[in-house]
Amino acid sequence: MLRYARSGLPRVRARLSYALHTMKKKLFYRGPEPSHGMRPIPWRSKRSLRGSMVALLPGFARPRIIKFESNLEYLFLCLMLVRDDVFCIQEQPAAIHYLDTDGKSAKHNFDFLVTLFQSCPHS
């Protein structure tokens, strides 16, 4: 009996090795997508709240990290995530270029771009 158990051990190891290889290929767990923000958020600040949260919205292929850099942005993000009509949220979208009152070129970065179901092209 002991002899049979020892002789079957390489077969068990081979099956286990194959199973582990297959599991790694299938990836049981896929982490969230990284942030899609166009402007990086500096993480160190003595005066404001910096952070991120993972969210899954209908416009996302899979869960995604959404970053915020103030308490107001955090509260706004929480309010947007509980709404039923929000299709997608992008933090720190591309800067908007414009001419200021003196005629000089300027740019502004909005904190969030929120797409609602009634305004999205996919609905």
Side-chain angles (χ1 to χ4, degrees):
M1 186 79 153
L2 186 58
R3 182 182 241 180
Y4 177 76
R6 284 188 183 164
S7 66
L9 192 58
R11 216 178 311 154
V12 171
R13 283 187 182 155
R15 286 183 185 164
L16 182 60
S17 175
Y18 176 75
L20 289 173
H21 176 71
T22 305
M23 287 184 339
K24 286 179 184 176
K25 285 175 76 174
K26 290 185 179 181
L27 293 176
F28 286 109
Y29 172 74
R30 290 179 65 188
E33 289 184 1
S35 169
H36 290 193
M38 298 294 187
R39 184 177 67 87
I41 294 175
W43 285 107
R44 301 190 82 169
S45 176
K46 294 180 180 179
R47 297 185 181 174
S48 66
L49 173 70
R50 309 292 167 122
S52 62
M53 65 174 61
V54 177
L56 177 61
L57 290 168
F60 298 168
R62 48 184 252 240
R64 195 175 88 205
I65 296 173
I66 302 177
K67 296 181 179 179
F68 51 88
E69 60 181 329
S70 71
N71 191 39
L72 182 61
E73 286 183 21
Y74 169 73
L75 293 173
F76 176 79
L77 184 57
C78 289
L79 288 173
M80 290 298 106
L81 289 174
V82 298
R83 289 180 55 148
D84 291 336
D85 60 344
V86 174
F87 179 75
C88 184
I89 298 174
Q90 182 183 357
E91 73 280 10
Q92 305 298 327
I96 303 295
H97 296 272
Y98 64 96
L99 296 176
D100 65 8
T101 55
D102 299 330
K104 295 180 183 177
S105 179
K107 70 177 185 174
H108 178 75
N109 288 87
F110 288 97
D111 296 327
F112 295 103
L113 174 63
V114 178
T115 306
L116 303 177
F117 272 108
Q118 66 245 23
S119 63
C120 80
H122 303 291
S123 61

